[in-house]
Amino acid sequence: MVVNTTKSESLRAKYDLDIEQLDYKYIGQCTKVKTIENILRVLRSGQEGVYPDLVRFTEERLRTLKPSSALLRTEQPATALRFLDSKERDELLSDLTEWKQEVSAADAELKSSESAKEPADQQLPPVRGTVQLRSATVGERKPEPEQKPARIASYDYAAWDRYDVEAQLKLLDESDAPAAPPQPAVQPPSDPAIDDQPPVEGLSAAERSALALREKQKGNEYFRSGDFSRAAVYYTRSINASPTAAAFNNRAQANLKLGKYGSALMDCGAVLRREPNNVKALLRRGIARQMNKDWIKARLDFQRVLELEPNNPQARQHLGEVEKAIIGSETKRSKVLIQEVDSMEEEGPAARPPAAGSSQPRRWSTFEFMREWRCARRSERSAAAMAALLRSVDPDQLTEVLGAELDSALLSSVIRCVDEVMLAQDGPQRCHQLLQRLTDARRFHVVKLLLDARDRQRLQSIAERLWRRGVDVTALERSFLS
């Protein structure tokens, strides 16, 4: 096979790839989406040779890491009308005819109705930059340009004798005086109070929609100018004319700017009742809840936004702020609880609650467990601290406690705890039960693919040590290592 080496080297240099990266093993272990996409571009170009199996393997790997990648999209050519069967063609032509009739009827209704026009006091100003031409009458003469006074010749001594220096200086002073500022073309209304109920009596549905759109556009203009109060009023007028999700959403943003977080929450709720997956409404409701210090509900809104748009920067920023606030509030609450317990009289061993690291199982919520897990992982004796935390979880409730929080870092830490601490202290049956319960957790079959070579070596060592102690590890090896 002849390969164009010059183009191949320039293409790999463009993507900064080595020839060793075009391999099944590297592609299967790589977790960087950008690198997998660049490898797929090089393989599809054919400059390194034609490897259809490797291309398909790379596409499957990319589909696992990022299903929405643009490289996985396939072109679907538009089907011509002549290729449709008679039934589909008749349905398509019928729908097109009905749509034309509806558009024509709505257009005729708007043109024929005189009430669609705005009253005289609501006429909009002329478009900026336009010039109104005035028709010239017969015999009308154009104004002659102003003639400047002739300059006095240097040799005309008689004219210099008649020259009035004081008068000329006065004229110069008048010309240098600052001109009055130009008046705006449209004066704002003297009364800032605006009726939030537009005139909608006798208007058809199409006319109300057109009026609502105009009122919303006025609100947008005031919002861009920084007048959020008037923007909210015009959004209210738009809603009263014809309620739409966009008008509620814009009024929620204006209320956030004005600090009216309760009103913003109600507007976002109105949007979400119409469009449950509206990202802007979810984000704004989360911000309103965050400002009201409703941290838990705000976190749920930001997490939902990130499920719909994983790369939304505002949601990521606010979610980080909410997480810090939750951790801070939990820390303050735990300090208060410790002070209250220390101030009480000891009534016996049963008076104190069991410690988080004790071997006695306790009921954990996902948030509490993950918070303690992160603290244990950052401690100096992280393996022992994480092992003590795992002992406090009932193995039968492990899947419920983890919820959807299982990732490659957590799975790797559990494997390390079992290998370094728990096999020696807790016995083979407890370790086997813990690992077996992990296989039932959500996303386990995806997360196990992200384990590195060191974790797989630990798993093989654990399986061998369990087998030597008489534990059947066939199902465990099939779940983790297959």
Side-chain angles (χ1 to χ4, degrees):
M1 181 184 296
V2 180
V3 179
N4 191 339
T5 308
T6 305
K7 290 184 179 180
S8 173
E9 290 178 352
S10 63
L11 185 60
R12 284 193 288 106
K14 176 181 177 181
Y15 295 129
D16 194 18
L17 294 174
D18 296 331
I19 193 66
E20 291 81 4
Q21 292 177 286
L22 308 181
D23 180 66
Y24 285 95
K25 183 177 179 181
Y26 178 81
I27 295 171
Q29 295 178 353
C30 181
T31 59
K32 296 181 180 179
V33 175
K34 192 67 176 178
T35 303
I36 296 295
E37 290 180 343
N38 291 339
I39 291 174
L40 184 56
R41 291 189 182 99
V42 172
L43 291 174
R44 284 180 175 176
S45 69
Q47 296 176 0
E48 294 292 334
V50 180
Y51 306 102
D53 293 336
L54 186 56
V55 171
R56 284 193 293 270
F57 180 77
T58 308
E59 290 174 349
E60 290 298 326
R61 180 61 176 161
L62 181 58
R63 187 173 289 108
T64 301
L65 296 176
K66 186 181 180 182
S68 60
S69 175
L71 294 181
L72 298 177
R73 299 173 187 167
T74 56
E75 261 187 62
Q76 297 291 341
T79 305
L81 186 64
R82 63 178 180 275
F83 294 125
L84 299 175
D85 56 24
S86 58
K87 183 178 179 180
E88 292 179 340
R89 185 166 56 251
D90 293 341
E91 290 179 357
L92 182 62
L93 294 176
S94 175
D95 292 341
L96 185 60
T97 304
E98 290 180 3
W99 176 77
K100 287 182 178 179
Q101 292 175 354
E102 291 176 1
V103 172
S104 300
D107 189 38
E109 184 181 359
L110 285 175
K111 288 181 178 179
S112 62
S113 177
E114 296 180 356
S115 59
K117 299 180 181 180
E118 291 186 349
D121 58 343
Q122 293 187 8
Q123 290 291 338
L124 296 176
V127 180
R128 289 176 290 183
T130 58
V131 180
Q132 295 182 353
L133 299 179
R134 185 166 55 91
S135 58
T137 58
V138 179
E140 183 180 1
R141 299 179 60 185
K142 295 182 179 180
E144 296 180 357
E146 184 181 355
Q147 295 182 356
K148 297 182 179 180
R151 184 175 180 180
I152 302 176
S154 59
Y155 53 82
D156 192 354
Y157 299 108
W160 280 112
D161 291 338
R162 296 190 300 271
Y163 183 74
D164 190 353
V165 178
E166 297 294 334
Q168 293 298 324
L169 289 175
K170 185 177 180 181
L171 290 175
L172 289 175
D173 291 339
E174 292 177 355
S175 64
D176 292 340
Q183 296 295 326
V186 180
Q187 296 289 342
S190 58
D191 184 10
I194 307 171
D195 187 8
D196 59 2
Q197 181 64 43
V200 294
E201 281 191 38
L203 299 184
S204 63
E207 293 165 351
R208 291 170 70 103
S209 299
L211 177 61
L213 179 60
R214 288 197 299 270
E215 297 294 335
K216 184 170 73 72
Q217 290 172 348
K218 292 178 185 178
N220 293 342
E221 290 292 334
Y222 278 112
F223 189 90
R224 282 192 285 268
S225 66
D227 193 346
F228 305 122
S229 298
R230 288 201 178 187
V233 172
Y234 277 105
Y235 291 143
T236 304
R237 289 169 63 89
S238 175
I239 292 169
N240 291 336
S242 179
T244 59
F248 278 113
N249 227 343
N250 290 1
R251 191 171 71 174
Q253 181 68 357
N255 284 327
L256 284 178
K257 294 289 186 180
L258 294 171
K260 300 178 179 179
Y261 304 122
S263 301
L265 283 173
M266 289 190 290
D267 288 337
C268 293
V271 177
L272 295 173
R273 282 191 293 273
R274 292 168 169 80
E275 301 174 5
N277 292 330
N278 190 298
V279 173
K280 290 183 178 180
L282 287 168
L283 182 61
R284 289 165 186 171
R285 187 174 71 174
I287 294 174
R289 287 173 169 175
Q290 179 184 0
M291 300 307 294
N292 284 337
K293 298 184 179 181
D294 192 352
W295 314 118
I296 303 299
K297 292 183 179 179
R299 182 177 62 176
L300 294 176
D301 284 335
F302 296 138
Q303 288 175 345
R304 180 58 182 158
V305 171
L306 292 176
E307 288 178 5
L308 298 173
E309 290 185 3
N311 297 323
N312 191 303
Q314 282 185 287
R316 288 182 178 276
Q317 177 185 352
H318 286 287
L319 181 60
E321 295 173 358
V322 167
E323 292 283 1
K324 291 180 181 177
I326 291 174
I327 293 174
S329 63
E330 291 289 339
T331 304
K332 291 179 181 178
R333 189 174 65 182
S334 62
K335 287 181 179 179
V336 172
L337 180 62
I338 290 171
Q339 291 175 359
E340 291 178 353
V341 171
D342 288 342
S343 62
M344 294 170 58
E345 294 182 0
E346 296 185 0
E347 298 177 358
R352 291 187 177 272
S358 65
S359 59
Q360 181 181 357
R362 58 166 287 187
R363 188 78 176 179
W364 289 96
S365 67
T366 303
F367 170 74
E368 291 175 337
F369 179 80
M370 292 307 301
R371 183 190 63 198
E372 296 294 334
W373 183 265
R374 285 189 287 267
C375 294
R377 193 166 55 187
R378 290 193 296 265
S379 64
E380 295 181 359
R381 301 179 58 191
S382 58
M386 288 186 291
L389 190 60
L390 287 173
R391 293 189 190 102
S392 67
V393 181
D394 187 352
D396 294 332
Q397 297 176 357
L398 182 61
T399 304
E400 180 184 351
V401 170
L402 291 179
E405 298 292 336
L406 184 65
D407 56 11
S408 58
L410 193 150
L411 184 58
S412 176
S413 301
V414 172
I415 294 171
R416 176 191 163 203
C417 288
V418 174
D419 183 44
E420 295 182 358
V421 180
M422 297 186 70
L423 265 177
Q425 298 179 4
D426 294 72
Q429 295 297 336
R430 176 64 183 270
C431 296
H432 179 265
Q433 185 183 15
L434 174 65
L435 294 175
Q436 193 64 42
R437 288 292 182 271
L438 273 179
T439 61
D440 298 330
R442 291 171 59 185
R443 304 193 304 172
F444 169 78
H445 295 287
V446 176
V447 172
K448 74 172 185 178
L449 299 176
L450 306 178
L451 294 176
D452 56 17
R454 185 175 182 182
D455 291 329
R456 293 182 179 276
Q457 290 177 359
R458 288 181 184 273
L459 283 170
Q460 290 175 352
S461 173
I462 292 171
E464 184 177 354
R465 292 158 69 184
L466 290 175
W467 177 76
R468 288 178 180 175
R469 299 187 185 186
V471 179
D472 185 7
V473 294
T474 306
L476 198 64
E477 289 180 333
R478 188 185 307 114
S479 299
F480 275 94
L481 301 175
S482 60

